[in-house]
Amino acid sequence: AQSVAQPEDQVNVAEGNPLTVKCTYSVSGNPYLFWYVQYPNRGLQFLLKYITGDNLVKGSYGFEAEFNKSQTSFHLKKPSALVSDSALYFCAVRALFTGGGNKLTFGTGTQLKVEL
Amino acid sequence: DTAVSQTPKYLVTQMGNDKSIKCEQNLGHDTMYWYKQDSKKFLKIMFSYNNKELIINETVPNRFSPKSPDKAHLNLHINSLELGDSAVYFCASSQMGGPGSYEQYFGPGTRLTVT
């Protein structure tokens, strides 16, 4: 079974400050990890992924995430937050599903609020 | 051009009715999905089709029946709607295998309200 934990329901940060949204995972075998963002009344938008290679992956809108195998974490980061980054962020994990199927398991989401 | 589109965007109906939601993707992907997002924003996969073949079928009431006429379309039919079916339903697509695979692309969602 695969699972994702996002321990914070909400993260508040001042504009211009660095932000971190936390994610830990559990999966059999190598993890494929993703971050998605959801703006109000919109679908999920893909931000970035870790499949293999460098532990620090860069994605859209200046976001990056660091894969840490020993801590089974994949925290989302941005050096300088913008008010427009305020949204709901989902971490997701995938393992190769026997017989096919890119089954993604999502975390419960973290609401990011960036204030002036 | 919209990559993954869903119709309708909003659907309000009464208990006991039957309704359908349609999804189309123009990304050339071979795999499509249906997800349900509840009022607490929790997102859970329901079904997945690869080249018109059902490959993921989570624990979903059999009132829900997906249909994939071709790999660019995945529809969701719901019979005998119940209050608990009220949610936002998202369609997604991805490519199975290969270097461009893994991430899924989501449609804008269909907000279903059952009264």
Side-chain angles (χ1 to χ4, degrees), chain A residues 82-97:
Chain A
L82 297 172
V83 171
S84 57
D85 293 330
S86 299
L88 184 59
Y89 291 80
F90 288 97
C91 181
V93 67
R94 195 211 110 182
L96 186 62
F97 186 69

Side-chain angles (χ1 to χ4, degrees), chain B residues 32-78:
Chain B
M32 297 183 72
Y33 311 80
W34 278 112
Y35 287 86
K36 179 180 180 181
Q37 186 175 47
D38 63 21
S39 58
K40 295 185 178 180
K41 306 295 186 182
F42 185 66
L43 200 63
K44 193 174 189 308
I45 191 167
M46 301 172 68
F47 304 101
S48 177
Y49 271 75
N50 173 252
N51 284 322
K52 303 193 294 176
E53 180 183 350
L54 183 65
I55 56 171
I56 296 175
N57 186 352
E58 293 294 285
T59 307
V60 177
N62 57 16
R63 298 182 294 104
F64 290 79
S65 54
K67 283 187 172 56
S68 181
D70 55 61
K71 69 177 186 178
H73 296 85
L74 179 62
N75 304 323
L76 182 66
H77 188 76
I78 315 170

Side-chain angles (χ1 to χ4, degrees), chain A residues 36 38 49 94 102-103, chain B residues 33 37 58 102-104:
Chain A
Y36 286 82
Q38 184 178 25
K49 67 183 177 189
R94 195 211 110 182
N102 298 342
K103 181 180 175 181
Chain B
Y33 311 80
Q37 186 175 47
E58 293 294 285
Y102 308 118
E103 61 262 33
Q104 297 177 15

Side-chain angles (χ1 to χ4, degrees), chain A residues 4 32 34 36 38-46 48-49 51 88 90 94 96-109 111, chain B residues 9-10 31 33 35 37 40-45 48 55-56 58 88 90 94-97 99-109 111:
Chain A
V4 175
Y32 302 144
F34 306 83
Y36 286 82
Q38 184 178 25
Y39 296 98
N41 300 314
R42 303 285 295 276
L44 277 72
Q45 295 180 31
F46 169 73
L48 52 79
K49 67 183 177 189
I51 303 299
L88 184 59
F90 288 97
R94 195 211 110 182
L96 186 62
F97 186 69
T98 303
N102 298 342
K103 181 180 175 181
L104 277 183
T105 297
F106 285 84
T108 50
Q111 185 70 46
Chain B
K9 189 171 175 65
Y10 299 97
T31 306
Y33 311 80
Y35 287 86
Q37 186 175 47
K40 295 185 178 180
K41 306 295 186 182
F42 185 66
L43 200 63
K44 193 174 189 308
I45 191 167
S48 177
I55 56 171
I56 296 175
E58 293 294 285
V88 181
F90 287 103
S94 73
Q95 186 63 25
M96 182 79 70
S101 66
Y102 308 118
E103 61 262 33
Q104 297 177 15
Y105 293 86
F106 284 75
R111 182 174 295 276

Side-chain angles (χ1 to χ4, degrees), chain A:
Chain A
Q2 55 194 41
S3 65
V4 175
Q6 292 181 243
E8 302 153 318
D9 289 338
Q10 181 160 320
V11 169
N12 297 321
V13 64
E15 188 175 53
N17 283 0
L19 70 87
T20 299
V21 182
K22 296 180 180 177
C23 171
T24 58
Y25 67 88
S26 174
V27 69
S28 298
N30 293 328
Y32 302 144
L33 294 155
F34 306 83
W35 277 101
Y36 286 82
V37 59
Q38 184 178 25
Y39 296 98
N41 300 314
R42 303 285 295 276
L44 277 72
Q45 295 180 31
F46 169 73
L47 274 181
L48 52 79
K49 67 183 177 189
Y50 172 83
I51 303 299
T52 187
D54 289 341
N55 289 342
L56 185 65
V57 293
K58 295 187 184 297
S60 306
Y61 312 122
F63 283 94
E64 58 189 28
E66 187 167 11
F67 170 64
N68 187 317
K69 188 172 183 178
S70 63
Q71 296 185 2
T72 62
S73 67
F74 189 56
H75 300 330
L76 181 70
K77 300 182 180 184
K78 187 173 182 180
S80 179
L82 297 172
V83 171
S84 57
D85 293 330
S86 299
L88 184 59
Y89 291 80
F90 288 97
C91 181
V93 67
R94 195 211 110 182
L96 186 62
F97 186 69
T98 303
N102 298 342
K103 181 180 175 181
L104 277 183
T105 297
F106 285 84
T108 50
T110 297
Q111 185 70 46
L112 174 66
K113 188 173 182 182
V114 182
E115 298 169 311
L116 290 169

Side-chain angles (χ1 to χ4, degrees), chain A residues 40-43, chain B residues 5-12 20-22 87-90 107-113:
Chain A
N41 300 314
R42 303 285 295 276
Chain B
S5 60
Q6 295 179 228
T7 53
K9 189 171 175 65
Y10 299 97
L11 187 53
V12 181
S20 292
I21 306 171
K22 295 185 176 182
V88 181
Y89 292 84
F90 287 103
T110 295
R111 182 174 295 276
L112 172 64
T113 304

